[in-house]
Amino acid sequence: MGVALELRKSNKAMDNTFTALRKLVASLDVPSFITDEYLGLKNINEIMGNICGLYNFEDVQDKNVFSQVAFDMTKTQKSFDDTFKSSKGGAFDFIFDTKLADGTMENMLWHIVELRDGSNDVKGFLFVGESVKDLPRFRNLIYGPQKHN
């Protein structure tokens, strides 16, 4: 057990964890992204990019996620901070109005997992979007206009 704890404390182990998470995020078929502890974008999947119009990750990398995808950054940041502080730790749900690529907004539920190091310090967050009520519109944003079942 001591060895596992020491490995988790090492920078290499943290780098390996983030690499594995990036692969996981890329494979998900729902909008998802990773931020650092300051909510700077570190990774987005293709679905998230298409839904929110973030087609070139380099343009948004390290920028505050809410400045890029929230309809009202200030309100969303405050609400996130309050929700995070009141969470019991580990994971929590958060709802905010998300800006979409077509210029509209959608109230989306995000399941958020705190990414912690071996010292239990938050090093980032994994956001995974919940299914949305307007799935055909999202499919059009992701795959382009086509007939959906």
Side-chain angles (χ1 to χ4, degrees):
M1 181 146 155
V3 173
L5 179 59
E6 290 305 313
L7 284 174
R8 287 191 331 205
K9 286 184 179 179
S10 76
N11 285 335
K12 183 175 182 183
M14 284 302 296
D15 289 344
N16 289 341
T17 300
F18 274 94
T19 298
L21 283 172
R22 284 185 182 100
K23 289 178 183 176
L24 170 70
V25 165
S27 71
L28 294 174
D29 62 354
V30 294
S32 52
F33 55 91
I34 299 171
T35 70
D36 61 19
E37 65 268 36
Y38 306 107
L39 297 172
L41 278 167
K42 293 300 179 188
N43 183 264
I44 61 174
N45 69 357
E46 184 176 357
I47 292 173
M48 180 69 184
N50 289 340
I51 287 174
C52 293
L54 306 175
Y55 304 116
N56 186 3
F57 180 68
E58 289 75 28
D59 292 343
V60 297
Q61 186 172 9
D62 296 323
K63 292 185 179 173
N64 179 287
V65 64
F66 300 131
S67 73
Q68 302 303 305
V69 300
F71 194 73
D72 182 337
M73 178 193 167
T74 305
K75 176 183 168 188
T76 305
Q77 181 72 57
K78 181 177 180 343
S79 181
F80 177 88
D81 292 343
D82 292 344
T83 302
F84 175 55
K85 287 176 189 170
S86 67
S87 76
K88 304 232 186 306
F92 58 97
D93 289 337
F94 183 62
I95 297 173
F96 68 91
D97 293 331
T98 305
K99 289 188 288 191
L100 306 182
D102 64 4
T104 62
M105 72 170 186
E106 181 73 29
N107 195 263
M108 292 182 64
L109 170 65
W110 297 90
H111 303 287
I112 302 170
V113 178
E114 299 167 8
L115 307 175
R116 294 180 176 269
D117 65 9
S119 299
N120 207 30
D121 295 326
V122 173
K123 294 298 180 185
F125 299 94
L126 168 64
F127 287 67
V128 178
E130 179 66 51
S131 299
V132 294
K133 64 179 177 153
D134 196 358
L135 192 55
R137 182 167 56 123
F138 272 68
R139 285 184 177 155
N140 282 338
L141 290 170
I142 295 167
Y143 304 112
Q146 58 188 2
K147 188 174 183 175
H148 302 290
N149 295 334

